[in-house]
Amino acid sequence: MNLNELVQHIHHYDISSEKNPFITQLDNDSRTVKSGSLFFCIKGFTVDGHDYVQQAVANGAVAIIAEKPIKAEVPVVIVRDTNRALAIIADVFYGQPSHSLHVISVTGTNGKTTTSHYIDHIFRYHSKKTGMIGTIHIKIDDETYPVKNTTPDPLLLQQSLHKMKSKGVEMVVMEVSSHALDLGRVRGCDIDIAVFTNLSHDHLDYHKSMAEYRNAKGLLFSSLGNTYNIEKPKVAILNEDDNASEYYKKVSSAPIMTYGIERNSDFMAKNIRYTAEGTYFDLHYEGKISPVKLKLVGKFNVYNILAAITSCYVSKIPMETILKAIGTIKGVPGRFELVNEGQPFTVIVDYAHTPDSLENVLKAAKQITTNRLICIVGCGGDRDRTKRPLMGRIAVECADWTIFTSDNPRTEKVEKIIADMESEVCNSKYEVIVDREKAIFHAMKSAQKGDCIIIAGKGHETYQVIGKEIISFDDRKVAKAAIKAKLRKQN
C-alpha cells in the first residue's frame, strides 16, 4: 500500500511532503526497520520513539508517523496520537483479519489464562483450527511463539491475527489485560465474544483505584459495538456472582449471557463435589441438567470451566461435544500444576500472584491435603505494594506453615517486599528465606507424608527478575531437583 492510502483512514493529520512512498512494513521499533518501512514514534514508559527517527531512516524507513514535527529526509505525518494511528493503520495494512475470524476475548483479574486454554481445548476437540494470544504464548494452530505482554501491542496483535488467518485458523481466543485496554492495544480488533471472569485486588499501582480498574476492563464490553449483526453476533459473557458484572451489563449494548454458582444464571453449577481425582457438578442450562466431570479441583476451576462452556455454547458448539471435551482437559502450565517425582507428598506450582487467587488456590489445596498445607510465596517488586500485606495475611491464615521468599523483586530489595507482606500477619506460622531456590529446597527437605506444598506466584515463568538482570529460574525444575535430592538422601 502507498502512504496516502494508509493515512486516509486517520482522518486528521498533517503531512510534510507530497511524496507517496510504497509501504512494505510497519514498525514501532527502529531496530526492526527495513527498506520500505513506515515507522511509528511511540512514547513508552522509558523510551520515546521520536528520539529514534534518524536511526529508523538510516535503516530504511520511507515515512514517519509522529506526534510532533521531526526533521527527516522522508515524509513525516503528524497525528494527535501515534498509538491510535498505529492501531488503525495496522488493522488496514494487514487486511482487517479479525473481521473474518471468530474472536473470543477474556478479561478479569484471575482465570484469564485457564479459561482461554479451556476454550481453545474445546474448539480443538471440535476439530477447529485455533489461535491463542495470552500470558504464556501466542499459538497459531500447533506452533507457539514467545510473548512479552499478556496482550501484545496493536502492531504485533494485527500481525499475529493476519498470520493466523493465512494459516487457516477459524477461532482465536485472546486474553485481554486491563493495561492493554487502557493503552488501546486491542483497538481495531473485531471481537465477537467478551468474557469476564472476576474482579479483585490487583494492579492498583497503575489504575490507582478499584473503580478505575473496573472501568478499564469495561472498555472490552463497550467495544462490542452498538449494532446487532445476525451474521456476526456479539455476546458479553459475565460472571453473575461477581458484583462488577452489573457495571459491565450497563456499558455493553451486546446481548448478555451469565454463568455462576451462587446466583441465578444462564449456566449454573450445582451440587458441586470436590475429590482428589477431580471435581463433579451438575450443569443447569436452558432447563436441562448435564453431569460434568473435570479432572481438576477447586471452586475457581468451576468458574473457569463455566465461562468456557458458555463461550463455546454460544459459539454453536453442541453441548454433547463440549462435555466430552471437558473430560479430556488435563490442565494448564503453571496453573495448579502438579510436580510429581514419586514423593509421598503433593507439590503444586501455581501462578497465583493476587490476594484472591492465592486464597482460592490454598483453599482448593486444603481440600486434597491430609496433613500440613505449606505455602511458599513472595510478591513482585516495582508493582502494587497495597496487595502485599493482604497476600501475606492470606498465606499465613490459610496455610499451616508459610515461607516468605523472593518473587521477581526487580529493583526493590526483597527484605523490604517481605516486610510489607509481614505487616498484617497476626501469628508466627511462617519463616523468611529470601533466596527462592533455598526456600523451595527447605520446604521439600522438611515435607512429611501427606503434606501439600504450594509454590505460588510465578507459575509457568522460566525466569526471575533481580535488579535489571533476568536469570533462568523455573519453580517446577527447582522443585523437581529438590524432591530428587530428598529422595536420594532417604535411599
Side-chain angles (χ1 to χ4, degrees):
M1 284 187 176
N2 293 326
L3 177 63
N4 289 347
E5 291 180 81
L6 290 171
V7 299
Q8 68 177 337
H9 296 275
I10 303 173
H11 299 299
H12 182 83
Y13 63 90
D14 293 311
I15 191 166
S16 67
S17 171
E18 294 183 359
K19 293 180 181 179
N20 186 24
F22 186 76
I23 305 301
T24 60
Q25 180 173 304
L26 307 183
D27 288 284
N28 56 2
D29 185 334
S30 60
R31 295 168 295 183
T32 61
V33 168
K34 295 180 180 178
S35 179
S37 287
L38 173 59
F39 178 67
F40 290 79
C41 301
I42 304 296
K43 291 181 180 178
F45 292 111
T46 57
V47 297
D48 186 344
H50 293 83
D51 298 331
Y52 295 88
V53 168
Q54 296 309 317
Q55 182 181 339
V57 173
N59 288 344
V62 294
I64 307 295
I65 305 286
E67 292 181 359
K68 60 185 179 182
I70 295 288
K71 289 184 179 181
E73 299 173 358
V74 298
V76 177
V77 181
I78 306 298
V79 299
R80 292 173 179 171
D81 183 343
T82 51
N83 273 298
R84 190 178 293 271
L86 176 59
I88 294 170
I89 291 177
D91 180 51
V92 173
F93 185 83
Y94 288 104
Q96 299 187 307
S98 63
H99 291 226
S100 54
L101 293 166
H102 183 63
V103 181
I104 300 176
S105 293
V106 183
T107 195
T109 306
N110 305 309
K112 294 187 295 296
T113 299
T114 303
T115 300
S116 296
H117 275 75
Y118 290 171
I119 293 170
D120 179 79
H121 181 92
I122 295 168
F123 268 88
R124 287 167 69 87
Y125 188 91
H126 192 49
S127 300
K128 297 293 184 181
K129 189 173 284 191
T130 66
M132 190 185 313
I133 300 171
T135 305
I136 297 177
H137 54 223
I138 291 175
K139 182 183 71 66
I140 302 176
D141 198 14
D142 292 322
E143 298 180 27
T144 59
Y145 307 87
V147 291
K148 292 182 180 179
N149 300 305
T150 295
T151 313
D153 65 61
L155 179 54
L156 180 56
L157 176 59
Q158 294 299 336
Q159 287 173 340
S160 301
L161 293 173
H162 174 74
K163 189 171 184 178
M164 289 176 183
K165 182 180 174 181
S166 68
K167 294 283 187 179
V169 164
E170 301 167 82
M171 186 284 300
V172 179
V173 60
M174 175 172 61
E175 295 179 51
V176 183
S177 68
S178 58
H179 290 76
L181 289 162
D182 190 65
L183 295 170
R185 290 179 188 160
V186 293
R187 288 173 184 155
C189 189
D190 186 18
I191 295 167
D192 299 295
I193 296 176
V195 183
F196 169 61
T197 60
N198 51 68
L199 189 77
S200 63
H201 190 123
D202 200 15
H203 303 307
L204 297 192
D205 55 321
Y206 180 88
H207 295 291
K208 307 306 179 187
S209 71
M210 285 299 295
E212 284 188 25
Y213 182 33
R214 179 202 64 184
N215 295 349
K217 290 191 177 296
L219 294 170
L220 178 63
F221 301 96
S222 61
S223 70
L224 289 174
N226 201 47
T227 59
Y228 305 109
N229 182 349
I230 193 67
E231 295 181 2
K232 207 171 189 292
K234 311 297 183 185
V235 182
I237 295 175
L238 305 176
N239 179 352
E240 187 68 25
D241 293 343
D242 194 295
N243 292 332
S245 288
E246 291 303 312
Y247 174 76
Y248 301 139
K249 288 177 185 178
K250 291 180 181 179
V251 301
S252 179
S253 297
I256 306 293
M257 295 295 286
T258 61
Y259 66 92
I261 298 173
E262 310 296 338
R263 299 173 183 171
N264 188 43
S265 312
D266 296 311
F267 292 78
M268 286 195 73
K270 296 184 178 181
N271 192 26
I272 304 172
R273 290 92 68 202
Y274 303 106
T275 72
E277 290 75 36
T279 302
Y280 301 80
F281 65 86
D282 294 329
L283 174 67
H284 290 242
Y285 72 103
E286 297 182 345
K288 304 172 186 176
I289 303 175
S290 295
V292 176
K293 179 182 178 181
L294 183 64
K295 295 177 183 177
L296 300 163
V297 299
K299 188 176 183 179
F300 62 95
N301 266 318
V302 176
Y303 278 112
N304 293 336
I305 203 66
L306 283 173
I309 289 171
T310 310
S311 302
C312 294
Y313 190 73
V314 301
S315 299
K316 308 302 181 184
I317 296 181
M319 184 59 76
E320 182 181 0
T321 302
I322 293 172
L323 297 177
K324 287 180 179 178
I326 290 171
T328 65
I329 292 174
K330 295 181 179 178
V332 179
R335 272 63 179 177
F336 217 76
E337 183 175 352
L338 288 169
V339 178
N340 193 347
E341 292 294 325
Q343 75 276 9
F345 51 89
T346 303
V347 177
I348 297 170
V349 171
D350 194 89
Y351 191 55
H353 60 285
T354 68
D356 186 58
S357 61
L358 182 63
E359 184 173 8
N360 288 338
V361 165
L362 290 174
K363 285 183 176 180
K366 197 75 171 178
Q367 293 172 330
I368 60 172
T369 303
T370 57
N371 196 17
R372 299 178 303 163
L373 177 59
I374 300 169
C375 177
I376 303 171
V377 64
C379 286
D382 302 333
R383 296 293 187 271
D384 183 4
R385 287 187 62 187
T386 63
K387 70 179 182 181
R388 294 174 187 172
L390 300 176
M391 291 187 67
R393 177 173 54 79
I394 287 169
V396 173
E397 287 179 355
C398 293
D400 297 301
W401 189 253
T402 297
I403 301 174
F404 291 145
T405 188
S406 62
D407 189 285
N408 289 321
R410 301 182 179 87
T411 63
E412 283 193 74
K413 289 186 176 181
V414 179
E415 292 82 359
K416 178 184 174 185
I417 296 172
I418 292 176
D420 287 342
M421 297 180 71
E422 292 179 283
S423 63
E424 290 187 9
V425 173
C426 298
N427 62 54
S428 57
K429 296 192 304 179
Y430 74 94
E431 61 186 304
V432 173
I433 302 177
V434 170
D435 184 286
R436 192 174 182 89
E437 183 174 10
K438 290 181 179 178
I440 293 172
F441 267 79
H442 176 72
M444 301 305 163
K445 185 178 179 181
S446 61
Q448 303 169 10
K449 183 178 180 180
D451 285 350
C452 179
I453 300 173
I454 296 291
I455 307 174
K458 294 179 60 58
H460 66 282
E461 292 179 352
T462 57
Y463 60 85
Q464 195 171 19
V465 186
I466 301 175
K468 298 291 185 179
E469 186 180 2
I470 299 176
I471 64 172
S472 179
F473 195 98
D474 188 324
D475 281 348
R476 296 162 296 187
K477 290 183 178 180
V478 175
K480 284 183 179 182
I483 294 167
K484 288 177 180 178
K486 179 186 180 73
L487 295 178
R488 281 196 305 270
K489 190 172 182 180
Q490 289 177 343
N491 295 331

